[in-house]
Amino acid sequence: MTRHVVAKVEDLAEGRSKRVTIAGRAIALFNVKGAFFALADKCPHENGSLSCGRIIGLTEADEPGKYRLTRQGEFVKCPWHGWEFDIRTGQSWCDPTRTRTRTFPADVASGEEIAKGPYVAETFSVSIEEKYIVIDL
Ligand code: FES
């Protein structure tokens, strides 16, 4: 698995999504309440772009006519036909037992952590203050 730096943390505000490309593969990156998630930017129904989808919550109901909105910002609605996916797992809520979009681990790492390698040469003081979003693909 290779780590790919795809964006700075400040480039993706909470509740927003962004399309990134890694080795020709389109990835939909999401910021859900400060945690980052990556899905294939390809809806399993007919390939709609999930990074362009509306970010929504889950509507639950215990009985007809009485519903509540929960998990606000944790779902994306495909812009083409409205299928909904859990951003954390890729699970579809249209056919939850069979349909899921591919997920990828997404992490936040400091620039210093990313730059560190196994070899050490003569060093000079360098500080990296910004953080980057990293995807393992
Ligand atoms: S392409 Fe996504 S719901 Fe149809």
Side-chain angles (χ1 to χ4, degrees):
M1 200 176 285
T2 306
R3 305 189 86 200
H4 300 271
V5 176
V6 293
K8 292 180 181 177
V9 167
E10 57 265 28
D11 290 343
L12 187 58
E14 216 173 284
R16 304 299 299 249
S17 61
K18 179 183 183 78
R19 180 185 177 108
V20 298
T21 304
I22 300 173
R25 172 179 267 170
I27 307 287
L29 183 63
F30 297 89
N31 180 342
V32 178
K33 301 169 188 163
F36 294 90
F37 299 92
L39 305 177
D41 195 15
K42 187 173 161 185
C43 175
H45 179 221
E46 290 183 1
N47 301 331
S49 172
L50 296 178
S51 65
C52 297
R54 195 158 57 97
I55 296 172
I56 58 173
L58 179 67
T59 304
E60 296 181 294
D62 297 324
E63 59 185 274
K66 289 194 176 184
Y67 54 88
R68 62 190 176 284
L69 187 63
T70 62
R71 299 182 61 191
Q72 185 59 39
E74 297 183 26
F75 292 82
V76 61
K77 187 171 191 165
C78 179
W80 284 15
H81 310 101
W83 285 26
E84 297 171 2
F85 297 87
D86 186 327
I87 293 170
R88 295 177 186 276
T89 64
Q91 181 67 60
S92 165
W93 288 86
C94 291
D95 187 355
T97 58
R98 295 187 316 161
T99 307
R100 174 187 299 256
T101 189
R102 183 156 183 209
T103 62
F104 302 94
D107 199 3
V108 174
S110 69
E112 183 179 356
E113 179 187 336
I114 294 165
K116 203 173 194 177
Y119 305 104
V120 180
E122 184 179 3
T123 60
F124 302 92
S125 177
V126 175
S127 66
I128 301 170
E129 297 178 5
E130 297 166 339
K131 293 193 172 198
Y132 295 87
I133 302 166
V134 180
I135 293 178
D136 293 321
L137 186 65

